[in-house]
Amino acid sequence: MPDFRTPMLWALCLGLAAALLTAGVERTRGASARTDAAKARQELAEYRSTVAESGRLAERAQRTQEQTWRKRVDGVIKDGQQQIAAARADAVRAADAERRVRKQLDTFRAAVRAASAEAGPAGGSPPAEAALDLLANLLGGSGAALVELGKFADGAHIAGSICERYADAVEPAVTAATSPSP
């Protein structure tokens, strides 16, 4: 009878060698996969760190830009308030001057009437009194209207000036933010 143990032993040894070789290859693959996974986790952590730092830097730059805009706008507002206060003071002075002129005109009218009353009927000058009354009525009616018109014109001019300066204060930043990078 032939001896079957030797070929079987060879087959068993070859099977064991193949199993050990397969196990070694799989173990090497597993170690390689773990190394790749650790490397990928490290790269992901570095990427997240870089993105977080970029976000912090972008936020800081935005805050700095906002502070610059706020300083410019606050300066425009403060200057505008000073201009408004100056215009109001000028309007008060103009109204006072108008009242003084009206008072002087009233005094002059009273003096002319008194002089024409003393001169008597033959020396009276009704056309002069009528012209003086017309002048007084024109100045009296237009003075208050002119003061109000001046207040409105000053207010509109100052508001337009402030609006334009406000737009100029933030325009460079808006232009820089919307223009394409070279």
Side-chain angles (χ1 to χ4, degrees):
M1 245 187 148
D3 189 12
F4 289 114
R5 283 194 251 163
T6 307
M8 213 191 254
L9 188 60
W10 276 103
L12 187 62
C13 283
L14 284 176
L16 182 63
L20 288 174
L21 182 64
T22 303
V25 167
E26 289 302 316
R27 187 171 201 155
T28 303
R29 276 187 181 171
S32 176
R34 283 189 295 276
T35 303
D36 289 346
K39 184 178 177 183
R41 280 192 294 274
Q42 177 65 29
E43 288 175 356
L44 180 61
E46 289 173 3
Y47 174 75
R48 286 180 177 169
S49 174
T50 302
V51 167
E53 182 64 23
S54 295
R56 283 190 294 274
L57 290 175
E59 184 177 350
R60 186 178 308 139
Q62 184 63 30
R63 297 279 183 243
T64 302
Q65 187 65 43
E66 287 173 1
Q67 289 172 354
T68 302
W69 291 344
R70 175 55 39 202
K71 286 177 186 175
R72 288 179 188 167
V73 168
D74 286 346
V76 168
I77 289 170
K78 184 178 179 181
D79 188 47
Q81 289 170 341
Q82 290 171 348
Q83 287 180 357
I84 289 169
R88 286 180 180 159
D90 288 346
V92 167
R93 283 193 298 276
D96 289 342
E98 188 266 334
R99 280 190 292 275
R100 283 192 306 271
V101 167
R102 192 177 314 146
K103 186 177 178 182
Q104 288 174 352
L105 185 59
D106 289 342
T107 304
F108 184 67
R109 253 172 71 188
V112 168
R113 285 178 197 249
S116 64
E118 288 177 9
S125 178
E129 286 180 19
L132 191 58
D133 287 341
L134 177 64
L135 178 62
N137 288 337
L138 282 174
L139 288 177
S142 65
L146 290 175
V147 168
E148 288 302 313
L149 183 62
K151 285 180 185 178
F152 173 77
D154 286 344
H157 174 72
I158 291 169
S161 173
I162 291 169
C163 183
E164 186 176 314
R165 290 182 44 224
Y166 182 93
D168 289 344
V170 296
E171 181 184 8
V174 171
T175 303
T178 58
S179 65
S181 299

